[in-house]
Amino acid sequence: MTHLDAYSRSISYLRISVTDRCNLRCIYCMPPEGVPLRTHDEILRYEEIENVARAAAGLGICKVRLTGGEPLVRLGIVDLVRKLAHIPGIDDLSMTTNGILLPRYAADLATAGLRRVNISLDTLRPERFAAITRRGRLTDVLAAIESARQAGLRPVKINTVVIRGINDDEAVDLARRAADAGWNLRFIEWMPVGGVALAGGDWQEQVVTAAEIRRQIEVALGPLEPATLDIGGGPARYYRLPGGRGTIGFIAPISEHFCGQCNRLRLTADGQLRPCLLSDYEIDLRAPLRRGADAAQIRALLLKGIGSKPLQHRLNEKERPEHRVMSEIGG
Ligand code: SAM
């Protein structure tokens, strides 16, 4: 049975960041100088992550997503997937990845019990891709999408963060590609996290709202029809172009926040439980885990996290989470 928080939201979802390391340096996620990396010792060991996941499953959490940093850069990730997939009660195990290493791991991840992946892709232009990620190659991500499909990691969802002056002129091209290629693409509003500043003014001016993107697409390609994507049940609203194969989703944490439906907890790579992505409040699980906390004690800390979830984020009142960048929290 799932647990309700103080605002009657049912908490069924745990996002686990397995590493703070990443093989890309996306300009909106990390500052140019990078972030100081945690030492090996500061990062939760796999058995500690497994203990937390097991305790979470005992509280009715049935959905787990692995993220990072980049989850595929951590050695032994397939073994972790296999362990988590065997925990009774966890019935939807997924991963968010930039895809760079996915072709190497997709088949093994699927065999180990991963059900599906979300792949990040912000542009279809090779030079722009290199500029946004500061080091990546677009062709690698396109190959990753194909490898996920072939491995049966479905549905593959594509995450596209839209930022004014960076890639907001590509919404129509991306929507068209989603329709033609059968992608489940989701446009995500950029969130100001960890003091990452982008050139060009206030963060409010850099956010491109879901409504604005939708308008651009409808002006160019015609009205979108409501659609559903059965699996995941996340905050995206889905549409499709008439006759198109794929779906086009919108995730609008800024312009139409969905805090009222928030069902998640987050665990950072260094073992901090974060009840809200956009609040710096965290509960330390690592020290208790290393003191030998048993399942009941971990469950009690998770319940404290559930009980501490705020009613909603306060970004629009100029409260910004400053302590960590997105690559540390896991997005
Ligand atoms: N490395 C993996 C990846 O690229 O998908 C997983 C970690 S990444 C932090 C998870 C997701 O967060 C990605 O889809 C990324 O685009 C998104 N993201 C990062 N910073 C963001 C921000 N400031 N606002 C909105 N989404 C962001």
Side-chain angles (χ1 to χ4, degrees):
M1 205 191 61
T2 52
H3 281 261
L4 298 184
D5 73 0
Y7 305 99
S8 301
R9 294 172 296 203
S10 175
I11 309 306
S12 56
Y13 183 12
L14 176 66
R15 293 175 68 104
I16 302 175
S17 172
V18 298
T19 177
D20 56 345
R21 284 155 210 260
C22 191
N23 43 2
L24 298 181
R25 296 281 181 277
C26 298
I27 53 172
Y28 55 83
C29 186
M30 259 193 224
E33 67 281 10
V35 279
L37 295 174
R38 316 266 156 187
T39 62
H40 185 68
D41 238 24
E42 289 174 292
I43 300 298
L44 286 193
R45 296 189 283 272
Y46 281 155
E47 69 200 69
E48 293 168 334
I49 293 177
E50 192 188 343
N51 284 342
V52 176
R54 213 173 269 285
L59 294 175
I61 287 182
C62 54
K63 199 174 152 182
V64 170
R65 173 173 295 277
L66 302 178
T67 176
E70 169 50 40
L72 295 179
V73 303
R74 182 151 176 193
L75 284 180
I77 187 72
V78 175
D79 297 330
L80 177 68
V81 165
R82 190 173 302 108
K83 286 188 177 125
L84 299 184
H86 279 102
I87 296 176
I90 295 182
D91 54 27
D92 184 14
L93 181 60
S94 61
M95 180 181 283
T96 299
T97 171
N98 60 34
I100 302 295
L101 295 173
L102 192 59
R104 196 185 297 175
Y105 290 115
D108 289 346
L109 288 167
T111 307
L114 192 75
R115 284 188 69 186
R116 57 200 179 86
V117 286
N118 289 7
I119 298 177
S120 304
L121 175 65
D122 304 318
T123 174
L124 294 170
R125 302 184 193 172
E127 306 78 43
R128 184 175 278 180
F129 186 89
I132 291 178
T133 61
R134 296 194 179 109
R135 54 177 63 179
R137 283 191 319 196
L138 174 64
T139 45
D140 290 340
V141 183
L142 298 177
I145 295 169
E146 204 34 53
S147 73
R149 280 186 168 170
Q150 280 178 11
L153 295 168
R154 297 181 199 193
V156 182
K157 295 181 187 171
I158 313 284
N159 287 346
T160 303
V161 177
V162 185
I163 303 172
R164 194 173 310 287
I166 306 258
N167 63 344
D168 56 325
D169 54 349
E170 269 196 79
V172 173
D173 288 351
L174 283 155
R176 198 183 281 121
R177 174 67 84 94
D180 292 347
W183 289 355
N184 301 298
L185 183 110
R186 298 106 55 79
F187 291 106
I188 302 174
E189 292 174 352
W190 180 69
M191 293 170 274
V193 174
V196 174
L198 294 165
D202 265 6
W203 71 265
Q204 282 96 338
E205 289 160 25
Q206 289 161 336
V207 172
V208 185
T209 64
E212 186 179 339
I213 301 167
R214 182 171 172 187
R215 212 161 32 243
Q216 277 186 32
I217 295 170
E218 293 196 314
V219 166
L221 304 176
L224 292 170
E225 295 172 347
T228 44
L229 204 61
D230 319 331
I231 196 155
R237 296 212 189 122
Y238 288 100
Y239 299 86
R240 67 171 74 250
L241 282 166
R245 289 168 55 219
T247 55
I248 297 165
F250 297 94
I251 301 182
I254 307 289
S255 65
E256 300 166 50
H257 75 75
F258 37 82
C259 304
Q261 286 89 52
C262 185
N263 59 354
R264 39 188 89 175
L265 290 175
R266 290 180 162 80
L267 180 66
T268 65
D270 59 346
Q272 307 302 303
L273 183 69
R274 201 164 160 114
C276 169
L277 168 66
L278 297 172
S279 157
D280 280 326
Y281 176 71
E282 293 176 350
I283 296 168
D284 183 23
L285 298 193
R286 187 182 62 200
L289 280 164
R290 292 193 180 168
R291 283 196 302 267
D294 63 15
Q297 287 166 319
I298 302 171
R299 277 201 302 274
L301 289 165
L302 291 171
L303 283 172
K304 184 174 171 197
I306 291 174
S308 317
K309 280 181 68 63
L311 175 61
Q312 61 185 68
H313 74 68
R314 305 174 72 86
L315 281 182
N316 295 334
E317 288 134 61
K318 301 208 176 356
E319 258 182 51
R320 297 176 52 173
E322 296 288 353
H323 292 171
R324 292 176 186 268
V325 298
M326 203 68 127
S327 67
E328 292 178 290
I329 308 169

